[in-house]
Amino acid sequence: MNRDERVVHELVSGYGRTYAEEAGIRLRDSPQPLYRLLVLSLLLSARIRASVAVAAARALHEDGLDSPRRMAGAGRQRRVDALGRGGYRRYDERTATQLGDGAELLTERWGGDLRRLHREAEGDVGALRDLLQEEPGIGPAGAGIFLREAQRVWPDVAPYLDGKALSGAERLGLPKDPEKLAGLAGDTQPAVLAAALVRAALDGQVAEDCLRRAA
């Protein structure tokens, strides 16, 4: 292996866990796990620690708020309380409102099924990103998070490496080209590569560890 291949190998070996996996989401191309991923993406996109966002996503699931119908039907205070149990307090009021409004929109426009949103984009990743941002609380960052993870079950999106993932590549001295990075990763799933690159972008110690072990 050359230097870049060694760095990528060490990165995905040590840090290649997707955020969906961390949140306990068994991602499949079906309505409930895709919706849970959307909720996780909204939570992760706020300026809050990823571990807190993951804990809040778990708390919402444990409270049964794991479908658009249940999320919309829950009272706002119930959503606030679940977020609080996950430690997600700084943005809890606003986020609780966004979750309720977003669940209603998803139900009304796409029948609560993100696969319909996917089909509406007709294979255009830019259109898919724009449609996701119609959901309250999902901006460019949230759409990027969702697509990084969803490419595991939506292969037409892959390889999807957004600006955050590419900043991780830059920190590691790797090429900032999604196709080249996917090539360096070999059989590694692009979603796993993306998550590992994001971890390197967010934590300098991750990058230092990978570079040291690849030397």
Side-chain angles (χ1 to χ4, degrees):
M1 289 191 289
N2 62 33
R3 180 265 180 197
D4 287 354
E5 289 172 331
R6 291 197 305 274
V7 170
V8 171
H9 174 75
E10 295 298 340
L11 177 69
V12 297
S13 296
Y15 303 97
R17 188 184 188 199
T18 67
Y19 287 94
E21 288 172 332
E22 192 173 336
I25 301 171
R26 295 185 178 181
L27 197 57
R28 300 185 305 278
D29 189 21
S30 57
Q32 188 184 63
L34 288 171
Y35 177 67
R36 289 183 63 194
L37 176 60
L38 184 71
V39 170
L40 175 64
S41 300
L42 187 157
L43 298 174
L44 283 168
S45 65
R47 295 190 178 188
I48 199 162
R49 291 196 312 278
S51 59
V52 173
V54 167
R58 283 182 173 274
L60 288 164
H61 173 62
E62 288 164 2
D63 200 32
L65 306 182
D66 52 8
S67 73
R69 179 181 59 80
R70 291 171 181 165
M71 187 70 78
R76 183 169 174 275
Q77 190 57 50
R78 181 177 168 190
R79 295 192 293 267
V80 169
D81 291 344
L83 290 168
R85 284 193 295 276
Y88 201 94
R89 296 185 179 88
R90 184 176 177 186
Y91 303 102
D92 57 349
E93 298 282 344
R94 183 185 70 181
T95 301
T97 298
Q98 291 171 336
L99 287 170
D101 292 345
E104 290 179 3
L105 175 64
L106 181 57
T107 300
E108 292 167 4
R109 181 161 178 186
W110 294 292
D113 189 345
L114 284 160
R115 295 176 300 179
R116 296 185 182 182
L117 180 151
H118 184 203
R119 288 195 293 269
E120 185 176 325
E122 298 182 331
D124 185 330
V125 175
L128 183 54
R129 189 167 49 238
D130 291 342
L131 286 170
L132 287 166
Q133 289 181 67
E134 293 186 22
E135 279 284 301
I138 299 291
I145 293 165
F146 182 88
L147 292 175
R148 288 198 314 253
E149 301 269 329
Q151 65 183 322
R152 192 163 204 168
V153 293
W154 290 352
D156 58 306
V157 175
Y160 187 87
L161 301 175
D162 64 356
K164 182 63 74 174
L166 294 178
S167 68
E170 183 176 29
R171 173 173 266 179
L172 290 161
L174 296 170
K176 293 179 65 178
D177 178 274
E179 294 290 347
K180 289 181 180 178
L181 287 165
L184 290 169
D187 293 335
T188 299
Q189 293 181 337
V192 172
L193 172 63
L197 287 168
V198 169
R199 294 179 192 280
L202 295 175
D203 188 344
Q205 189 60 49
V206 169
E208 290 177 15
D209 178 54
C210 292
L211 292 172
R212 176 181 54 79
R213 288 189 283 126

